[in-house]
Amino acid sequence: TLPWIIVSRDGRAAWKNLPSRLDHLLSRRMANQAGIAEVSLGSGDAYFCRFLDGTTDYCLPAQQAQIAQDLEARGLTITSIVLHPELSHDFVIRSTYH
């Protein structure tokens, strides 16, 4: 079964069949923690999640992870990553300077 997630405006979410790391992250978040602002699901276990407080969490294939690490090392903050659900080499990373 394919993974899915529905996010409401206030950051609450319902989901099924997410990558185990993301499922665990979302399941253990406390009610007083910031909700989800956006999420992108990629191929395999790849995902990007940004929360309403601006924090992010992601699990990416090696090529994308290296690019993200390089951007962060240069002082940029990753604001969004759009992943293709089937093609791991198709993606968009948005970032800004701190």
Side-chain angles (χ1 to χ4, degrees):
T1 307
L2 294 174
W4 57 266
I5 184 167
I6 300 169
V7 180
S8 66
R9 277 191 241 186
D10 66 1
R12 290 180 296 153
W15 65 86
K16 189 162 185 154
N17 299 323
L18 293 182
S20 60
R21 179 177 153 171
L22 180 57
D23 181 80
H24 182 70
L25 173 73
L26 299 179
S27 295
R28 72 172 194 240
R29 283 188 73 81
M30 303 279 199
N32 64 343
Q33 289 180 291
I36 300 169
E38 70 175 278
V39 65
S40 180
L41 302 174
S43 61
D45 289 338
Y47 70 87
F48 171 84
C49 187
R50 183 172 53 84
F51 297 95
L52 292 170
D53 64 1
T55 60
T56 61
D57 186 76
Y58 52 85
C59 180
L60 303 171
Q63 176 192 12
Q64 296 162 341
Q66 185 61 55
I67 292 169
Q69 290 169 0
D70 291 348
L71 290 171
E72 292 174 329
R74 291 183 8 221
L76 286 105
T77 299
I78 295 173
T79 58
S80 180
I81 300 177
V82 180
L83 302 168
H84 192 285
E86 296 173 358
L87 305 173
S88 64
H89 60 274
D90 282 356
F91 60 96
V92 174
I93 297 179
R94 293 185 184 104
S95 61
T96 61
Y97 284 100
H98 296 294

